[in-house]
Amino acid sequence: MTAIPLGVPRRLVEFTLDGQEARVPEGSTILDACRAAGKDIPTLCEGDTLRPKNACRVCVVEVEGSRTLVPACSRKAEPGMEVSTGTERARHSRKVVLELLASSVDLSTTPRGAGWLKEYEAKPDRFGPDAARLNEEPKVDNELYVRDYDKCILCYKCVDACGDQWQNTFAISVAGRGFDARIAVEHDAPLTDSACVYCGNCIEVCPTGALSFKSEFDMRAAGTWDESAQTETTTVCAYCGVGCNLTLHVQDNEIVKVTSPHDNPVTHGNLCIKGRFGYQHVQNRD
């Protein structure tokens, strides 16, 4: 057997988290420390396979001596730091951010979104029926996945996954300014006329369902999508010899979508078009 070299050991950083002593490896973020301590900090733009973007500001915490609240997803833990996660100031900030997001964006398919709105007693309706929304129809211009900008919070995770952090296709970016800003391909053309290679890695990192499998979109529209009835089975992709791991999501004995484990050392959650979308032959006898 080939010995696996050990990584360089990291020193432990000691600081105070909600009045308790905490120790995390050097380089860890406050969010890493909170999760290690079992503290539930809401976050939308943070992704375990991407660098922090600091876009949504739902994960803010209070740090002693800091004039402003800091995003837990990107702020590194420092020796002697005093962090408070549940202060009135931090909770109020999260509440307002959730209200602003939910008043302008459809969070109905955001995992844990409804729970956070309830936990922080957020009331998006207080902005009234005239709160600005995109009110755009979903873009269905291919048979693989759907873009629904009414659910987009501009977290830029899809841009990063398509760009230099993973795919290096650079098919999508942010177009427009202010409220008119949105995720788009070059010249806002149909997806089929863009540089998109349909790897679906943007879907993998989308936190709100703004990007979704066409199969999931159709089943939700028909009222048949039921995650509680789905099973997940991890296997190895058979299309080539790379050895990517696939997680098959199965409902009523049919594969409804394919993801990849984020902790897999080969894929880190990423796949190609064949791995993510080439599963129809499994349930088609023709």
Side-chain angles (χ1 to χ4, degrees):
M1 294 179 61
T2 303
I4 300 175
L6 296 175
V8 177
R10 291 189 292 173
R11 294 180 300 176
L12 292 178
V13 174
E14 297 184 5
F15 68 105
T16 303
L17 181 62
D18 288 336
Q20 302 292 321
E21 184 178 297
R23 288 184 174 184
V24 293
E26 191 176 35
S28 299
T29 64
I30 295 175
L31 185 60
D32 293 331
C34 290
R35 288 173 172 169
K39 298 181 183 293
D40 184 23
I41 305 297
T43 181
L44 288 170
C45 71
E46 184 267 344
D48 56 356
T49 63
L50 298 168
R51 293 192 295 270
K53 200 70 175 182
N54 305 330
C56 74
R57 297 286 164 163
V58 180
C59 70
V60 291
V61 296
E62 196 159 3
V63 175
E64 184 71 25
S66 176
R67 179 178 60 84
T68 61
L69 296 172
V70 302
C73 68
S74 62
R75 181 66 180 269
K76 295 290 194 297
E78 300 172 6
M81 178 184 280
E82 295 185 20
V83 180
S84 300
T85 65
T87 64
E88 181 179 354
R89 183 186 180 195
R91 291 185 61 86
H92 179 71
S93 177
R94 294 177 200 153
K95 172 185 176 180
V96 173
V97 170
L98 288 168
E99 287 178 337
L100 290 170
L101 285 174
S103 67
S104 60
V105 177
D106 177 8
L107 299 182
S108 61
T109 56
T110 301
R112 303 192 62 193
W116 288 331
L117 289 171
K118 182 178 180 181
E119 177 184 350
Y120 288 93
E121 299 180 348
K123 297 178 174 58
D125 293 340
R126 72 187 180 92
F127 293 106
D130 296 328
R133 302 180 73 101
L134 287 180
N135 292 322
E136 287 187 8
E137 290 296 319
K139 291 182 179 292
V140 186
D141 52 13
N142 66 92
E143 290 300 316
L144 299 182
Y145 70 94
V146 176
R147 296 176 290 165
D148 188 351
Y149 289 138
D150 263 7
K151 296 179 180 178
C152 178
I153 61 169
L154 290 176
C155 67
Y156 310 111
K157 290 170 74 173
C158 59
V159 177
D160 290 338
C162 186
D164 61 357
Q165 292 193 38
W166 284 119
Q167 189 62 28
N168 285 290
T169 298
F170 301 97
I172 52 179
S173 61
V174 180
R177 290 178 175 273
F179 192 77
D180 292 327
R182 66 197 62 202
I183 305 298
V185 301
E186 58 269 27
H187 309 298
D188 201 19
L191 205 62
T192 49
D193 296 334
S194 73
C196 177
V197 296
Y198 298 95
C199 62
N201 294 330
C202 54
I203 307 174
E204 186 74 33
V205 299
C206 180
T208 62
L211 300 171
S212 64
F213 280 76
K214 179 68 160 51
S215 54
E216 178 179 347
F217 177 81
D218 291 341
M219 291 178 70
R220 285 187 183 275
T224 58
W225 181 262
D226 184 5
E227 291 188 5
S228 64
Q230 295 174 12
T231 59
E232 298 181 10
T233 303
T234 299
T235 184
V236 178
C237 182
Y239 275 107
C240 73
V242 172
C244 299
N245 276 22
L246 309 179
T247 298
L248 309 179
H249 299 249
V250 178
Q251 180 178 329
D252 297 329
N253 209 33
E254 286 195 2
I255 300 172
V256 292
K257 72 175 183 179
V258 175
T259 58
S260 182
H262 288 195
D263 59 355
N264 182 268
V266 177
T267 62
H268 298 286
N270 299 296
L271 294 170
C272 72
I273 182 174
K274 294 179 180 179
R276 196 176 301 278
F277 296 109
Y279 58 82
Q280 288 83 357
H281 67 283
V282 176
Q283 49 213 22
N284 187 344
R285 294 185 181 277
D286 296 332

